[in-house]
Amino acid sequence: MAGIKALISLSFGGAVGLMFLMLGCALPVYNKYWPLFLLFFYILSPIPYCIARRIVDDTDSASNACKELAIFLTTGIVISAFGLPVVFARAEVVSFWILPEPFCLKVLL
């Protein structure tokens, strides 16, 4: 039963994250669609492990180089998904302001 609860909470968190990603791009206040490139990372992340699972036979309990490489590539893709918004913010493509900039400046001053 604990596995089902974890799966449900993980899928709920993913759905909320995708909803916030879509809202952040679609709201007319921001009007920037660059964060949608994160969807490529979300689509690509399970592919290496799925390919390795199909290739490697699970009869042996020892670790396998193909599976470890797939886990390494999946980890790299997931870390890249976290790093892309940081690169966008550093290049000033997107901003981390929650409110429109004139309002934020009035609040901070």
Side-chain angles (χ1 to χ4, degrees), residues 1-94:
M1 192 69 177
I4 294 173
K5 288 181 182 178
L7 184 63
I8 289 173
S9 63
L10 212 80
S11 63
F12 179 74
V16 169
L18 283 174
M19 180 190 69
F20 283 145
L21 178 65
M22 296 296 174
L23 279 177
C25 294
L27 290 175
V29 175
Y30 304 111
N31 200 17
K32 296 193 180 187
Y33 292 95
W34 289 105
L36 283 179
F37 281 112
L38 286 176
L39 293 176
F40 291 126
F41 291 116
Y42 294 159
I43 294 169
L44 289 177
S45 62
I47 291 176
Y49 192 72
C50 290
I51 291 172
R53 194 174 57 192
R54 300 272 283 169
I55 292 173
V56 176
D57 190 20
D58 281 340
T59 56
D60 59 344
S61 63
S63 65
N64 193 348
C66 183
K67 255 190 176 175
E68 290 180 8
L69 178 65
I71 292 171
F72 176 75
L73 291 175
T74 302
T75 305
I77 293 170
V78 169
I79 290 173
S80 298
F82 281 106
L84 186 65
V86 175
V87 171
F88 281 161
R90 180 79 174 136
E92 296 179 0
V93 173
V94 296

